[in-house]
Amino acid sequence: MKKIIVIPGDGIGQEITASAVEVLKKVDAKFGIGLEYDYRDAGGTSYEKFGTPLTDEALDACKKADGVLFGAVGGKKWDSLPVYLRPERAIFGLRKGLGLFANLRPTKVYPELINSSPLKPELVGGSDLLIVRELVGGIYFGPRCESETKDGVEQAWDTEIYSVPEIERITKLAFETAKLRRGKVTSVDKANVLAASRLWRKVVVDVAKNYPDVELNHLYVDNAAMQLVLNPKQFDVIVTNNIFGDILSDEAAVIGGSIGLMPSASIGELTSLYEPIHGSAPDIAGKDIANPMGTILSAAMLLRYSLKEEAAAKAVETAIDKTLADGWRTADIFTDGFKRVGTAQVTEIICGNL
Ligand code: NAD
């Protein structure tokens, strides 16, 4: 049996993970994977029960699992808590505890939703890219100084450090991922200015020698930011460091046009975690109107990357494609002329399409 830890979290996290588990059960019945589910709390829900956003027991369960399906955490109710007790700390705790070193964010423009994109249809149509972001190194984790005085002037600084093994690890993952896709990697850096980026580029070039079937090119981050809106179709896999990935993945996320449809994977050495990119949407929680597709597509990534069940992952993605092609829309992506459905009903339709 393969054990999945399900962490619904707060707000719509409860509804959307329930939908994703329903879809996983259906796909399991079809492909005979043998999935079992174990539920844990995180975020505000965990704080209410245990006085902490993430218990050691929940983290330990995740460490032993074959994959973690995460909903979302957060809500106004807990906004005034001290930082270490706030729901979002659960995410940092899981990242650190599971050693989640890479974040994978696909952006796909669905033909049926092309008009939801802020970009012109002829520019974005057919875009299907994946950003592989280094998640535990670089300037977000380097030595820093909040304030010091030099020559009578206050200053602050942060440091970008990358080691060869850190770059090798993320680059290998990007190339392995590209092999599952269209076989192209774009490495994004700022090698014309930054020393850490020059090492980044050198290591990427070295790793690429082991992947002769994968095409590699390099872009400076300023150009990459432009190319993402000028011609997103040119990209397959983008690999980049923590800070550039943070910025570019949010830029890429809007290209698709709907936050409710965007999945993500955070890859660890042992266990990986899968979650939609949106938050807990307290404004719509409990109303049966949340779009569960981002979470269902995250479950498809779990099937692909943690369980190596490519056919099952594809089946889930195809079922979502068909649901959209048939005109079914949750409130967030509804426009005139389509069929409006709630969370539970769209989940049933997706299951029916499997
Ligand atoms: P949000 O992503 O929760 O919501 C932004 C807007 O998008 C809202 O109008 C919401 O209704 C809508 N939306 C989001 N997901 C949707 C879905 N699946 N279907 C339909 N509509 C959807 O961002 P926010 O409002 O800035 O944050 C709410 C809470 O979530 C905050 O406490 C924040 O800290 C937390 N948060 C958590 C995560 C996470 O758990 N990974 C990520 C971002 C924000």
Side-chain angles (χ1 to χ4, degrees):
M1 294 297 274
K2 304 278 185 194
K3 183 172 269 184
I4 312 286
I5 299 288
V6 183
I7 303 183
D10 308 321
I12 61 167
Q14 303 285 335
E15 304 153 61
I16 55 179
T17 48
S19 292
V21 170
E22 224 177 287
V23 171
L24 280 174
K25 283 182 176 164
K26 185 80 198 283
V27 92
D28 189 16
K30 193 169 168 190
F31 288 85
I33 304 165
L35 300 176
E36 61 179 21
Y37 308 89
D38 193 358
Y39 286 78
R40 289 290 184 279
D41 292 302
T45 311
S46 171
Y47 173 76
E48 297 297 336
K49 283 191 193 168
F50 309 112
T52 168
L54 182 71
T55 60
D56 291 343
E57 190 271 335
L59 180 60
D60 282 346
C62 291
K63 282 182 186 166
K64 292 182 198 128
D66 292 291
V68 180
L69 183 67
F70 188 88
V73 290
K76 274 217 162 49
K77 194 174 167 192
W78 304 291
D79 276 355
S80 52
L81 287 172
V83 170
Y84 74 100
L85 289 177
R86 290 189 49 170
E88 293 76 9
R89 295 312 296 176
I91 298 171
F92 290 104
L94 285 163
R95 263 188 204 173
K96 191 160 176 253
L98 297 177
L100 304 177
F101 67 91
N103 186 244
L104 270 52
R105 278 237 212 143
T107 286
K108 181 172 162 183
V109 176
Y110 291 85
E112 302 81 11
L113 299 177
I114 202 158
N115 291 321
S116 310
S117 172
L119 301 181
K120 290 186 196 128
E122 60 271 27
L123 279 184
V124 288
S127 300
D128 181 0
L129 62 95
L130 177 82
I131 296 189
V132 177
R133 165 189 169 193
E134 201 289 326
L135 206 54
V136 291
I139 200 161
Y140 290 177
F141 291 93
R144 68 186 47 151
C145 169
E146 298 290 337
S147 174
E148 69 178 14
T149 303
K150 198 173 174 195
D151 301 330
V153 178
E154 187 183 9
Q155 62 180 21
W157 46 265
D158 302 273
T159 319
E160 166 98 341
I161 300 178
Y162 270 111
S163 67
V164 170
E166 278 177 311
I167 307 169
E168 279 174 347
R169 180 169 65 172
I170 190 85
T171 307
K172 278 182 196 155
L173 179 69
F175 275 87
E176 291 295 335
T177 309
K179 276 170 48 181
L180 291 175
R181 294 173 49 96
R182 300 193 304 281
K184 184 179 173 192
V185 169
T186 301
S187 172
V188 172
D189 60 39
K190 191 70 183 166
N192 50 343
V193 179
L194 301 174
S197 273
R198 282 190 282 278
L199 182 68
W200 179 279
R201 191 173 285 216
K202 179 176 157 299
V203 175
V204 169
V205 168
D206 283 347
V207 170
K209 289 176 187 150
N210 301 319
Y211 297 90
D213 299 337
V214 179
E215 186 191 334
L216 169 68
N217 71 326
H218 305 271
L219 285 182
Y220 296 137
V221 64
D222 40 350
N223 188 18
M226 282 197 295
Q227 293 300 323
L228 264 177
V229 288
L230 286 173
N231 180 16
K233 278 181 262 195
Q234 71 184 283
F235 296 114
D236 180 19
V237 173
I238 293 176
V239 62
T240 191
N241 71 13
N242 202 343
I243 187 168
F244 298 158
D246 189 7
I247 299 164
L248 292 181
S249 56
D250 270 11
E251 184 188 355
V254 297
I255 294 173
S258 171
I259 192 176
L261 260 116
M262 304 283 301
S264 80
S266 294
I267 305 294
E269 295 284 7
L270 296 172
T271 314
S272 301
L273 180 144
Y274 301 83
E275 59 175 327
I277 70 158
H278 57 73
S280 57
D283 52 330
I284 58 166
K287 296 182 180 161
D288 190 38
I289 54 174
N291 188 345
M293 291 182 182
T295 316
I296 294 169
L297 290 167
S298 302
M301 292 184 86
L302 189 157
L303 292 167
R304 170 171 296 123
Y305 295 112
S306 282
L307 306 184
K308 313 292 177 211
E309 294 282 350
E310 179 61 28
K314 271 262 157 54
V316 173
E317 289 161 352
T318 306
I320 297 250
D321 289 347
K322 178 158 171 34
T323 304
L324 292 169
D326 290 346
W328 301 104
R329 299 284 186 274
T330 43
D332 55 316
I333 51 174
F334 175 78
T335 47
D336 284 345
F338 291 96
K339 297 173 274 190
R340 192 175 182 139
V341 276
T343 314
Q345 201 188 342
V346 82
T347 305
E348 249 176 65
I349 294 166
I350 294 164
C351 285
N353 285 335
L354 268 164

